[in-house]
């Protein structure tokens, strides 16, 4: 019999913050290759049985990963484009603004905790000296 094939383009996106370094494309290919029979079974018995009912195999081919451009990872505030890498770039003033802001917040938190502790643990003792007519001091 003849064989008909279809190409289905699937985009898989993910965010990984190393360590450890992970070869994400290879991980996806290995996962599909090792679970191909399950995937074919799900396609055959899923909602589109007319379309995938005769599926026999799955082949995975990788294309070059697409790197999102800055506009996809950034936001604009008051006409200034802000993206995450700006806070890690030592040549960008936003890194120092971020660090200074964190330090100010940390100092204010510590001062608040110190003041609350001090208020709760300070007893108010006052000593009064009263002079009597006989010249003795009472305390």
């Amino acid at each position: 019999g003849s064989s008909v094939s279809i190409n289905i383009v699937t985009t898989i996106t993910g965010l990984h913050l190393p360590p450890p370094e992970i070869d994400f494309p290879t991980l996806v290919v290995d996962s599909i290759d090792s679970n191909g029979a399950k995937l074919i079974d799900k396609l055959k018995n899923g909602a589109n049985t007319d379309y995938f009912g005769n599926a026999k195999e799955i082949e995975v081919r990788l294309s070059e990963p697409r790197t999102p451009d800055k506009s996809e990872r950034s936001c604009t505030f008051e006409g200034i484009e802000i993206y995450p890498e700006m806070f890690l770039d030592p040549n960008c003033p936003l890194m120092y603004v971020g660090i200074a802001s964190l330090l100010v917040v940390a100092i204010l938190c510590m001062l608040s905790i110190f003041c609350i502790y001090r208020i709760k643990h300070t007893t108010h003792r006052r000593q009064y000296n009263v002079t009597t007519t006989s010249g003795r001091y009472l305390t």
Side-chain angles (χ1 to χ4, degrees):
S2 67
S3 173
V4 177
S5 67
I6 58 170
N7 290 329
I8 299 174
V9 177
T10 304
T11 301
I12 299 173
T13 58
L15 178 63
H16 171 67
L17 301 173
E21 290 295 327
I22 292 178
D23 184 4
F24 193 68
T26 303
L27 184 67
V28 171
V29 170
D30 290 347
S31 178
I32 292 173
D33 283 345
S34 64
N35 296 302
K38 282 184 187 176
L39 188 54
I40 289 172
D41 188 49
K42 285 187 177 190
L43 289 171
K44 282 183 173 184
N45 298 318
N48 296 314
T49 55
D50 294 340
Y51 196 72
F52 294 110
N54 296 322
K56 292 184 177 95
E57 68 178 1
I58 293 178
E59 180 182 326
V60 180
R61 284 187 231 146
L62 291 176
S63 60
E64 287 298 315
R66 186 183 71 81
T67 304
D69 62 359
K70 275 187 190 176
S71 65
E72 294 178 62
R73 315 184 308 276
S74 67
C75 64
T76 304
F77 179 73
E78 297 286 329
I80 299 171
E81 185 179 24
I82 300 172
Y83 51 94
E85 290 84 5
M86 292 176 84
F87 293 98
L88 302 174
D89 181 5
N91 297 319
C92 180
L94 277 180
M95 177 181 152
Y96 301 107
V97 169
I99 291 171
S101 299
L102 289 173
L103 286 173
V104 167
V105 168
I107 290 169
L108 289 175
C109 288
M110 289 189 309
L111 282 173
S112 298
I113 291 168
F114 175 75
C115 289
I116 291 169
Y117 177 82
R118 181 102 188 227
I119 289 170
K120 285 185 174 184
H121 293 90
T122 302
T123 56
H124 299 286
R125 294 184 187 147
R126 292 189 180 149
Q127 185 173 6
Y128 297 99
N129 291 328
V130 179
T131 304
T132 63
T133 54
S134 65
R136 293 187 196 156
Y137 291 97
L138 297 176
T139 57

